[in-house]
Amino acid sequence: MSNAFGKGHHLHLIDGSAFIFRAFHALPPLTRKSDGLPIGAVAGFSNMLWKYVQDAKGADAPTHVAVIFDHSAKTFRNDIFADYKANRPPLPEELKPQFPLTRDATRAFNIACIEIESYEADDIIATLACQAREAGGRATIISSDKDLMQLVGDGVTMLDPIKNKEIGPEEVEEKFGVGPDRVVDIQALAGDSVDNVPGAPGIGIKTAALLINEYGDLENLLANADQIKQPKRRQTLIDFADQIRVSKRLVQLDCDTPLDFSLDSLEIADPDPEALLGFLTEMEFRTLSNRVAEKFGAEAPAIPDKPAASSTDIAAGPDWPPVDTANYQTVTTEAELDTWIASIAGFGAVAIDTETTGLNEMTADLVGISLCTGAGMACYIPLAHVSGGGDLFDSGARLDGQLALDLVLAKLKPILEDTAILKVGHNIKYDWKMLARHGIRMAPIEDTMLMSYAMGSDLFSHGMDGLSERVLGHKPMPIKDLIGSGRSQITFDQVPLDKATPYAGEDAEVTWRLWQTLRPQLSPTAVTTAYETLERPMVPVLADMEMAGIKVDQEHLSRMSNVFAQRMAALEDEIHGLAGAKFNVGSPKQLGEILFDQMGLQGGKQGKTGAYSTSADVLEDLAAEGHDLPARVLDWRQISKLKSTYTDALQTHVNADSGRVHTSYAIAGAQTGRLASTEPNLQNIPIRTEEGRRIREAFIATPGHKLVSLDYSQIELRVLAHVADIPALKEAFREGIDIHAMTASQMFGVPVEGMDPMIRRQAKAINFGVIYGISGFGLSRNLRIPRAEAQAFIDTYFERFPEIRAYMDQTIANAKRDGFVRTIFGRRIPTPGINSSGPQAGGARRAAINAPIQGAAADIIRRAMIRMPDAIAGLPAKMLLQVHDELVFEVEDGATDRLIDKARTVMESAAEPAVQLSVPLVVDAGIGNSWAEAH
DNA sequence: CTAATCACG
DNA sequence: GACGTACGTGATTAGC
C-alpha cells in the first residue's frame, strides 16, 4: 500500500498530550531505579502505545498513523486572547522531564511524532483529518477531547480510548445538543472554564443548544439577539457579542496549519525490535520489555533490578545479589562480635533489628540482635534463646554458647551511641525502646518506615514485608514460619538458632537495602525536610513518653466498673420488660428486629447487609418521639461502652512493674500526620459526657506531683485562617475575639454582644464543617435543620469568606494534578481516589480539603514536642501524653508554673521559624491531681 | 474477618 | 442534572 494516500486508506491520529496526562494520573509516581528519574507517565504512555499497536490490527486497521503533541503552552491563540488557557495549573515538576521521553517512546515504536511551534495538537489533528478526507480516505481521532468533536463527520470519527467507544455524529449531538458542524457555536457561547474560553456569562451548553437550534447558527443568533424573549439572556448576548466572537475564534479548528510533510509519510510500519527494546531497556521497563521481546521472539533484555550506588560514602555495591539468608553469621564469640563492631565503625552505618519475645516493647524481653552493614553482610547475635519444646526435660533452659546479654550490650553501646555512626531501623522506635530499657539511647538514627511514610505514597503500606516486596522485589520469610500462629504460637526465644539467624539477619539486610533504596528518593520527592524535621526526631521523644507512662488509679476504675455493671443489669431488665422478650441488647441485629419488626416502629433498612441501623442517631429520633425502649438502650450503650472499653480494659493495661499505663504511638499511623495511640488508645478517653469524664479522674499524678495539660485553642481554624488567607478570620484571631460568635455576627448580621447561644452554635458547626469539606446535607444533619436552610447558611458563609472557596478549589486542583497535597511545613499527604469518578470521588475531595489543615496542625504540635525535651530539661517534669492538640505533663508540685511558662512558649512558637503564621497560636493550661482536673 | 457502633480531636 | 454526603483515628462486640 505504498501508493499515495487516498480512497481505502485510514489515518489514525493519536492525541499524544491526552495519553501523557492520562498515564501520569493513572499511575503512581514511579521512578527509574538507577537514578530516580520520574518515569511513571512514560511508562503508562509506552504501555498505551504497545496496547494500541497490538490492537490496531484487524478489520478496521489503520494504514497510516501519527501521534500529535502540543509543542508549548504559547500558541497563536494567545495573540487572539491573552488569557487563553491561563488558569491551567502549572505542570507538576515530575512530569516536565518526561515530555521529551514520550516523544522518544513514540519514535521507538516507529510511529510518526508530530509537533509544531505555536500550534496546538488540535490544529494539527484538524489539518491532517481535513487532508485525509479531501484525499478520499478516512481519519479516526483517538481522543475524547470535546474540542475535537467539531471535526466529526464525513469520513472523520473519534475513538474514546478509555471507553473504547466510537464517537460519531450521534454521540456529538448527544453531548452538545447540535451536530458536529455547530459544535463551535455552542462552545463559543458556553465557553470553557478548563481552557479559559470566556463565552457568554450565564449560558451553558443546554441554553446554547436551545438558542442555536432556534436560530440556526451563531451569526444569525447574534444578528437577531434583540428578538430573544428572556430579557437577561437577550442583554447578555448583546453585551457580550464581541466576547462570544472571540471565543469562537479560540475554539474553531482550521485546516490550514502549515505542514512540512505529506500524509504518505505517515504510513504504518512495524517497529524495529532493536530500537524499541533499546528504549525500553534504557527506561528500565521490565515487564513491557519482556512482553515486547516475547512478541518479537527476541531475548528479553537484562535490566538490573538493583538501585545504583547512591551519593553516599557507604558503597551500596553496584550489583546486589539476591538476598541470601543462608550465609549469615551467628555471633557467639567475643572475637566475632569485636570484628563486627570494628567493621561497623569502618562503614559508619549499620542496619539493626532486635528480636524479642513479644510485640509490646514494655513487656517483651530482648532475645537477640541482628546487624547488617551491606548486601550479604549480616549477622545475628543470640542473647536469650532457650531450648525448644521438643525436649521435656531441657525445655526452657537457656541455650549454651550464647554471649551474655550484658557483655554484648556493653560492647555495642559505644557504637550505638556514637554520633558518627548511623543506626538504621525499620520502625526503629521499637528497637530504640528495647535498647533504652537496657540503658542505650541510640543516635543518630534513620527509619525506613518513616521514609516511606514521608514520601506519602498511597501505593503500599509502610510495613517492612510489603515495602520489601514492592521496593526490592524480595519477599522476606514470614515470622509465622518460625513461631507459628494461634494457640501453638511460640515466642522467638524458642526458635532454634539455625532458623533465627536467617530470619533476623534477613530483616536487618532488608532494612539496609530499603535504606539504600529509599533515602536517595527523599530528595526527588521533596520530602527530605519533612522526614528530617517532622518524622525522624519524633522517635526518641515518643519513646521516652511511652516509657514514662501515666499513673492510673486502678481502684477507682474497678469501683466504676462495679457501678456500671449494676446499672447495666438494671437497664437490661427494664429493656427486656419493655420489649416483652429477652434478647442481647448488645446485638444491633436483635435490637433492630425487636424495634422495627416486633414493635413496628418506623425506620427503614440500611446498607448492603440489609440490616436495620440502630445507631445513636436512629435511636435518638425514636426516643424523641417518646419511645422508652430506645432511650433505655442508649443509656445502656453508653454505660456498656464506658465499662468495656475504658474502666475494664484500662485496668488490664496497667504495667506490673511501673504501675502505670504505657500507650504506644504510631508515627506513621494516620494519613494526615497525626499520631495514633494504641494498646491502649489514650487519645479517646471520654470527656464529652459527665459520666465519661469521671474516667479521667483515674489518670493521676504520682505523689508530690501534678498533671499539667496544655492545649492549643482552635488550632485547625487558625491554620485555616492562615493557609486560606482569610482576612476576617485572621483579624478576629488577632483581636482575640470569640471566633464562632464572630462568624455568626458576619453571617447573620447580629452583634457579638449578647448573642443567642443557638446562633453561635450554628456558626460553630459551620466553622467545623468548612474544615471537613462541608455539604448542605451534612450540616443539616448535624444541626438537625432543613437542608435548604443549611445550604443557605453555607452560601452565606462562602459569600462572607470567599477565600475559603478559592482555597478549596486550589487544593483540589493540586491534589488532582499531583496525587497528593502538602501542608505548609512540606508534609506530603497522598490523596488516593481524587481522580476517580463515582461516589468515592466526593469523599476523596473532602479528605483533600481537610488534609492540609489537619496535617499542618499535626505538624505544629510535632514541632513543639520535638523541642520540648530541651526546653524543659532543667525542670522536674515529664511529657506523658499527646492528644492531637493537647500535651499532658507530670510535674513536681513546685514547678508547675515554670513548666507551663516554658511549654507554652514552645507550643505557641512551634511553627517558627519554618512558617511565620499570620495568626497567633494560643495555648490554654490547666493543673490538677487528675487529668479530669487538669484539662 | 468484617460490619456496626461509639469514644476522642 | 443526579448522587451521596463532614475529616482523622482505635477498641469492642456480634455474627458470619
Side-chain angles (χ1 to χ4, degrees):
Chain A
M1 219 176 290
S2 52
N3 50 328
F5 190 96
K7 198 163 166 22
H9 286 156
H10 184 186
L11 172 64
H12 268 190
L13 297 164
I14 298 173
D15 183 353
S17 302
F19 266 43
I20 294 173
F21 281 96
R22 216 177 97 219
F24 181 70
H25 290 298
L27 286 172
L30 307 174
T31 53
R32 184 158 67 183
K33 278 205 173 167
S34 61
D35 60 358
L37 178 74
I39 211 83
V42 186
F45 185 87
S46 303
N47 275 313
M48 289 171 174
L49 275 191
W50 176 245
K51 185 169 181 302
Y52 167 78
V53 170
Q54 297 306 106
D55 291 350
K57 295 175 176 161
D60 198 29
T63 57
H64 296 67
V65 64
V67 182
I68 298 96
F69 295 97
D70 292 314
H71 183 82
S72 63
K74 285 267 177 288
T75 68
F76 70 86
R77 285 188 178 77
N78 293 106
D79 300 332
I80 301 174
F81 182 59
D83 287 340
Y84 178 66
K85 294 198 174 179
N87 58 3
R88 285 279 172 97
L91 282 177
E93 283 304 317
E94 298 98 303
L95 186 52
K96 283 183 190 167
Q98 303 194 57
F99 280 116
L101 295 172
T102 54
R103 275 64 166 178
D104 293 346
T106 309
R107 284 185 281 265
F109 277 93
N110 206 9
I111 297 174
C113 167
I114 298 166
E115 56 190 301
I116 298 175
E117 189 174 352
S118 107
Y119 285 91
E120 289 184 48
D122 290 0
D123 297 307
I124 305 170
I125 290 172
T127 305
L128 287 169
C130 284
Q131 291 185 2
R133 174 188 311 169
E134 280 160 19
R138 289 190 300 134
T140 298
I141 301 164
I142 299 173
S143 173
S144 53
D145 188 345
K146 61 184 179 347
D147 296 340
L148 291 165
M149 291 185 182
Q150 56 180 283
L151 302 171
V152 165
D154 200 13
V156 178
T157 57
M158 287 176 70
L159 181 70
D160 181 335
I162 302 167
K163 297 176 184 147
N164 198 22
K165 183 173 155 249
E166 191 164 303
I167 302 170
E170 297 78 32
E171 286 78 14
V172 173
E173 182 147 4
E174 199 178 302
K175 179 161 183 67
F176 285 102
V178 297
D181 54 329
R182 294 271 77 87
V183 162
V184 285
D185 292 350
I186 300 295
Q187 290 185 291
L189 284 165
D192 185 341
S193 59
V194 178
D195 290 347
N196 208 27
V197 171
I203 293 187
I205 289 184
K206 292 266 146 81
T207 313
L210 215 67
L211 291 167
I212 293 299
N213 282 323
E214 190 174 344
Y215 288 88
D217 63 38
L218 184 63
E219 274 315 313
N220 193 40
L221 168 67
L222 293 177
N224 295 296
D226 55 332
Q227 294 171 21
I228 292 170
K229 294 174 203 80
Q230 298 87 339
K232 200 169 168 199
R233 204 172 279 178
R234 179 172 63 228
Q235 203 54 45
T236 300
L237 287 175
I238 293 168
D239 292 348
F240 291 94
D242 286 344
Q243 185 171 309
I244 294 167
R245 289 196 174 91
V246 169
S247 299
K248 180 163 179 176
R249 288 177 65 200
L250 291 175
V251 297
Q252 178 80 54
L253 298 175
D254 293 320
C255 296
D256 53 6
T257 310
L259 305 178
D260 58 2
F261 58 89
S262 73
L263 285 181
D264 303 328
S265 65
L266 307 181
E267 187 170 345
I268 231 161
D270 282 334
D272 169 26
E274 200 176 318
L276 181 52
L277 284 171
F279 172 78
L280 298 175
T281 309
E282 191 191 331
M283 291 295 111
E284 300 172 15
F285 298 153
R286 190 172 294 103
T287 312
L288 186 54
S289 5
N290 288 345
R291 258 185 224 149
V292 171
E294 191 184 338
K295 192 81 190 175
F296 286 121
E299 193 173 324
I303 296 170
D305 92 353
K306 341 271 173 313
S310 57
S311 57
T312 163
D313 324 345
I314 307 145
D319 49 356
W320 277 347
V323 175
D324 175 8
T325 62
N327 294 316
Y328 298 139
Q329 184 178 31
T330 307
V331 174
T332 54
T333 68
E334 277 193 64
E336 287 168 345
L337 181 58
D338 290 339
T339 306
W340 274 97
I341 288 170
S343 155
I344 290 166
F347 277 111
V350 60
I352 183 167
D353 187 41
T354 54
E355 302 302 336
T356 67
T357 55
L359 288 173
N360 187 319
E361 318 91 304
M362 289 306 298
T363 52
D365 290 319
L366 190 56
V367 171
I369 298 172
S370 58
L371 305 168
C372 176
T373 54
M377 295 191 288
C379 71
Y380 180 59
I381 314 166
L383 298 169
H385 282 258
V386 296
S387 55
D391 185 335
L392 278 175
F393 298 100
D394 238 7
S395 185
R398 186 173 189 274
L399 280 183
D400 290 339
Q402 301 176 86
L403 287 168
L405 186 136
D406 289 346
L407 171 90
V408 170
L409 293 180
K411 281 193 178 262
L412 286 177
K413 184 176 163 85
I415 293 276
L416 297 179
E417 295 185 340
D418 187 332
T419 54
I421 300 171
L422 270 179
K423 273 66 66 175
V424 185
H426 192 85
N427 187 18
I428 203 171
K429 177 156 68 69
Y430 184 93
D431 310 282
W432 201 96
K433 284 170 75 177
M434 284 311 303
L435 293 166
R437 283 173 54 199
H438 293 92
I440 295 173
R441 296 177 65 87
M442 278 198 288
I445 52 165
E446 293 275 24
D447 191 328
T448 48
M449 181 183 79
L450 297 183
M451 286 183 182
S452 170
Y453 179 61
M455 285 186 232
S457 164
D458 57 325
L459 184 60
F460 40 75
S461 76
H462 310 296
M464 187 169 76
D465 289 2
L467 209 51
S468 173
E469 263 192 87
R470 300 187 123 108
V471 173
L472 305 175
H474 170 77
K475 185 172 166 25
M477 67 183 86
I479 184 72
K480 282 205 174 81
D481 293 359
L482 278 73
I483 63 172
S485 62
R487 265 177 59 81
S488 58
Q489 187 170 330
I490 58 171
T491 47
F492 200 85
D493 55 341
Q494 295 168 280
V495 174
L497 293 188
D498 61 345
K499 291 205 177 114
T501 294
Y503 174 84
E506 182 183 44
D507 273 5
E509 176 162 3
V510 165
T511 301
W512 172 276
R513 292 189 183 207
L514 281 174
W515 177 51
Q516 291 288 308
T517 311
L518 294 180
R519 193 188 43 171
Q521 293 176 44
L522 290 176
S523 173
T525 46
V527 293
T528 311
T529 305
Y531 168 71
E532 288 179 354
T533 65
L534 300 172
E535 312 292 350
R536 192 176 61 189
M538 291 298 286
V539 170
V541 175
L542 290 174
D544 281 336
M545 291 169 67
E546 294 168 16
M547 289 190 295
I550 185 165
K551 189 171 165 65
V552 163
D553 182 348
Q554 207 170 338
E555 278 182 26
H556 181 95
L557 293 176
S558 175
R559 281 193 300 272
M560 289 186 76
S561 281
N562 290 335
V563 173
F564 288 156
Q566 287 174 24
R567 289 182 47 192
M568 280 171 69
L571 281 166
E572 258 168 66
D573 283 347
E574 196 178 341
I575 290 164
H576 291 159
L578 286 165
K582 291 211 169 193
F583 69 100
N584 183 350
V585 183
S587 163
K589 186 163 174 267
Q590 295 178 29
L591 175 64
E593 283 157 10
I594 295 276
L595 285 172
F596 302 112
D597 290 340
Q598 288 190 28
M599 300 176 62
L601 303 182
Q602 297 305 305
K605 284 182 197 283
Q606 304 267 336
K608 295 146 278 187
T609 56
Y612 295 113
S613 171
T614 65
S615 67
D617 270 356
V618 174
L619 298 188
E620 274 163 22
D621 286 346
L622 294 173
E625 289 165 23
H627 300 291
D628 279 341
L629 193 146
R632 293 291 86 76
V633 171
L634 282 168
D635 294 340
W636 182 91
R637 276 197 186 157
Q638 195 202 355
I639 307 294
S640 165
K641 181 81 174 182
L642 295 177
K643 181 171 186 292
S644 65
T645 310
Y646 301 104
T647 58
D648 286 353
L650 273 175
Q651 294 185 62
T652 70
H653 281 105
V654 175
N655 183 286
D657 296 331
S658 65
R660 297 165 74 99
V661 171
H662 306 265
T663 185
S664 180
Y665 289 103
I667 310 177
Q671 289 294 306
T672 53
R674 275 193 178 180
L675 302 177
S677 161
T678 57
E679 278 190 301
N681 181 356
L682 294 187
Q683 290 181 321
N684 72 343
I685 303 301
I687 192 166
R688 290 174 189 172
T689 65
E690 186 52 43
E691 202 84 74
R693 191 183 305 225
R694 292 202 52 223
I695 290 168
R696 293 195 172 214
E697 293 170 358
F699 290 82
I700 54 177
T702 208
H705 293 68
K706 291 279 185 286
L707 289 184
V708 174
S709 161
L710 294 102
D711 69 291
Y712 284 108
S713 161
Q714 311 283 11
I715 188 166
E716 291 194 354
L717 274 178
R718 288 170 198 266
V719 167
L720 173 70
H722 174 85
V723 300
D725 197 16
I726 306 161
L729 220 50
K730 293 199 285 190
E731 176 72 13
F733 279 126
R734 286 197 200 111
E735 301 286 320
I737 298 170
D738 176 338
I739 200 68
H740 302 311
M742 185 284 289
T743 307
S745 171
Q746 288 269 318
M747 286 185 53
F748 307 116
V750 296
V752 170
E753 302 296 322
M755 175 169 296
D756 180 352
M758 196 58 198
I759 302 248
R760 183 179 178 279
R761 195 183 132 250
Q762 294 187 327
K764 183 175 175 181
I766 297 169
N767 275 332
F768 279 108
V770 165
I771 293 174
Y772 300 144
I774 199 162
S775 74
F777 180 90
L779 186 66
S780 78
R781 204 177 50 173
N782 190 296
L783 285 175
R784 294 170 181 276
I785 57 174
R787 243 186 97 165
E789 206 176 312
Q791 190 56 55
F793 284 175
I794 294 169
D795 293 344
T796 311
Y797 190 95
F798 282 137
E799 245 168 64
R800 286 280 186 272
F801 309 105
E803 299 84 5
I804 301 255
R805 168 65 66 201
Y807 162 78
M808 291 181 162
D809 292 345
Q810 185 60 50
T811 303
I812 288 166
N814 289 347
K816 286 188 168 172
R817 183 192 62 199
D818 301 328
F820 62 86
V821 292
R822 278 188 198 270
T823 68
I824 45 177
F825 297 94
R827 170 186 300 284
R828 197 170 143 146
I829 300 169
T831 53
I834 194 73
N835 284 315
S836 67
S837 52
Q840 72 267 42
R845 286 176 48 221
R846 290 190 296 273
I849 290 168
N850 175 258
I853 303 168
Q854 189 182 117
D859 293 344
I860 288 171
I861 196 166
R862 280 184 182 223
R863 291 170 62 89
M865 292 170 73
I866 289 162
R867 290 177 196 176
M868 200 60 77
D870 281 346
I872 65 170
L875 297 174
K878 276 182 178 161
M879 185 160 61
L880 305 184
L881 301 178
Q882 189 250 43
V883 193
H884 308 309
D885 63 357
E886 173 188 12
L887 293 173
V888 178
F889 297 81
E890 188 174 48
V891 193
E892 257 182 36
D893 277 338
T896 51
D897 288 350
R898 279 178 291 153
L899 182 278
I900 289 173
D901 188 49
K902 295 274 189 201
R904 175 181 272 147
T905 304
V906 169
M907 289 173 76
E908 291 184 343
S909 62
E912 302 155 22
V915 172
Q916 190 67 49
L917 289 178
S918 51
V919 290
L921 291 177
V922 171
V923 169
D924 299 322
I927 308 171
N929 290 310
S930 73
W931 196 2
E933 285 178 23
H935 189 86

